[in-house]
Amino acid sequence: MDTRKIMIEGAMNMETELLLEALTDPQEQFVGQWRFVEGKYQEVNLVVAVTSIGMTNAAAATALGIEKFRPTAVISQGTAGGHDPALKAYDIVLGRRSFDASSYRSAQEDFVDWRHMELMGSYAYDEETQSFVPQAVYYPGDEKLLAAAQVVAKDYKRGRVVAGCIASCNTWNRQKARLQFSHNQFGSSCEDMEVNSAAQICQQYGIPFLGIRILSNTEFRAEEFRPESAKVCQRFVLAVAQQYDKALTGN
């Protein structure tokens, strides 16, 4: 029996509709308030998780999806805003690593200056101490998933594909100076609201994880939100799932 299964996550309907349309024999389930649809794409077993927006929802849906469907790997995909001035709409960032941009300590000062800050690790369960303690600041993407995405990237025609760093938090930053600071200080390529929380849950379960984000816009180029970018990203991710499954089977 083929037990390999990839869970692909998207926060909004526009970030999952093409994935759902691509499934054959779709089976829909709700676990709590979160929607999951299981099916096949070509010969690959998939579960599409509609997580809803934000860090809390992404973490909850990831944990519930892992418990219910026991995926072999998890991919969090969707749209993002740019932090790297070199990137533009339709460029894709493969999350070589990610961090929680809301987990920081500011300097002890009598005035406000968001630049005087250091990142902190998110709280996660530690097996040795059997307690929740601050963990590493950056969570790495899985190397095999990243390698599969880089193979697919060779045929991507809508922009660049870069292995970078995804900043996640429940914030929509539009101040160019702040975006530039995050890029310079912490190495962020783009920002979203889900990847790092899903990465943290997958690390605790020991499940391979990769965040993939397409730039829907960037303040550095005064671009408006491009809704079509969500579908472009979903097509790319379906090809990544195929390539990853192929690599696992050696076919």
Side-chain angles (χ1 to χ4, degrees):
M1 180 179 178
D2 186 0
T3 59
R4 293 188 316 281
K5 190 181 302 178
I6 301 171
M7 185 162 75
I8 303 178
E9 301 179 338
M12 299 182 288
N13 289 334
M14 66 178 288
E15 293 176 325
T16 54
E17 59 184 346
L18 188 145
L19 297 174
L20 295 173
E21 291 171 1
L23 293 179
T24 56
D25 192 26
Q27 304 294 318
E28 181 182 68
Q29 297 185 53
F30 280 82
V31 183
Q33 304 302 315
W34 288 274
R35 181 188 182 200
F36 298 87
V37 183
E38 191 172 10
K40 275 185 175 288
Y41 175 69
Q42 307 295 344
E43 298 301 317
V44 184
N45 296 317
L46 295 182
V47 177
V48 177
V50 187
T51 69
S52 192
I53 299 169
M55 303 280 277
T56 301
N57 286 318
T62 302
L64 291 171
I66 289 171
E67 290 285 350
K68 178 70 176 179
F69 300 100
R70 303 294 177 184
T72 307
V74 175
I75 299 173
S76 173
Q77 58 81 43
T79 57
H83 277 201
D84 183 346
L87 300 178
K88 63 183 186 302
Y90 294 101
D91 287 345
I92 290 177
V93 177
L94 308 177
R96 183 181 295 281
R97 61 180 187 168
S98 64
F99 68 94
D100 182 349
S102 64
S103 181
Y104 63 86
R105 183 186 358 255
S106 62
Q108 189 175 29
E109 298 169 327
D110 294 329
F111 55 90
V112 177
D113 190 336
W114 46 261
R115 294 170 297 180
H116 299 166
M117 56 185 281
E118 60 176 316
L119 291 179
M120 298 169 58
S122 300
Y123 282 81
Y125 188 74
D126 181 73
E127 289 286 353
E128 290 187 9
T129 63
Q130 295 187 347
S131 62
F132 286 85
V133 297
Q135 301 285 343
V137 169
Y138 294 96
Y139 281 75
D142 179 74
E143 288 296 330
K144 290 183 179 178
L145 279 167
L146 183 61
Q150 288 172 326
V151 170
V152 175
K154 296 175 183 177
D155 296 322
Y156 184 66
K157 307 299 183 185
R158 298 296 298 269
R160 298 172 59 194
V161 179
V162 299
C165 179
I166 299 172
S168 301
C169 63
N170 292 326
T171 304
W172 190 330
N173 289 310
R174 302 198 66 183
Q175 298 169 333
K176 285 188 282 188
R178 188 186 291 262
L179 301 175
Q180 184 73 65
F181 170 80
S182 181
H183 172 65
N184 293 344
Q185 190 76 6
F186 308 126
S188 56
S189 307
C190 65
E191 74 172 32
D192 82 320
M193 297 183 179
E194 293 85 27
V195 163
N196 186 252
S197 56
Q200 179 179 335
I201 297 298
C202 286
Q203 180 165 306
Q204 292 182 63
Y205 276 98
I207 293 178
F209 172 85
L210 185 66
I212 298 177
R213 282 295 186 270
I214 190 168
L215 266 65
S216 58
N217 64 296
T218 171
E219 299 298 333
F220 294 107
R221 297 172 186 265
E223 295 170 331
E224 295 300 320
F225 182 81
R226 311 286 179 89
E228 187 207 359
S229 64
K231 289 187 176 181
V232 174
C233 187
Q234 290 166 75
R235 293 188 190 99
F236 181 88
V237 169
L238 285 172
V240 172
Q242 281 186 299
Q243 180 61 36
Y244 180 70
D245 189 72
K246 178 181 177 182
L248 290 182
T249 60
N251 293 332

